[in-house]
Amino acid sequence: MASSSAFWKTMGMGVIAGMRSMSAPALLSGALRDQPSGRLAHSKLGWLQSGAVSTGLKALAGAEMVGDKLPAMPNRTEPVSVMGRTLSGALVGAALYKLNRQKLLRGAAVGGLGALAGTFGAFALRKLADNSGTTKEPWTGFVEDALVVAGGKALLHNYQPRQ
């Protein structure tokens, strides 16, 4: 994967984390479980390749998607939510950059910035859709879920770890 490819894949997965905080790590962990990389095996990020971690992250991502549709859920732009989404993007970004023999902190920054963009961009788009009168909650949430899963899988589709 070329340097610019790593940047855009990381930015994209950061956006996914901003839309659904647990989905980006779950999708990446699933890809790493299926095709582990020696670059992560002995690093502090090696746990992402575990089958148990992948399963747990998928369960958390599913619970987040269900919870998103509940009326009592706090707004994604609340500070705690923004922080969680940003940290999720940073985690995924660090792992993707490590896989590409690039600096973890740079990957964390790119993934975190992508998550911020995804958080506020998706929030604005959902409000716009709700206010347009064509689609209302929870349907906008279901559309967002579909975009998260399809987008994340597309970004990781040609994932090939290099040893």
Side-chain angles (χ1 to χ4, degrees), residues 61-120:
E64 180 182 23
M65 287 182 179
V66 170
D68 174 68
K69 314 307 177 288
L70 300 174
M73 282 304 286
N75 193 316
R76 75 177 68 207
T77 59
E78 294 292 323
V80 165
S81 182
V82 172
M83 183 180 299
R85 291 165 191 267
T86 303
L87 290 172
S88 175
L91 168 67
V92 170
L96 288 170
Y97 266 54
K98 174 79 173 166
L99 288 167
N100 285 281
R101 294 188 176 151
Q102 295 183 33
K103 297 182 184 212
L104 266 90
L105 288 178
R106 186 172 296 160
V110 171
L113 288 172
L116 284 171
T119 297
F120 290 99

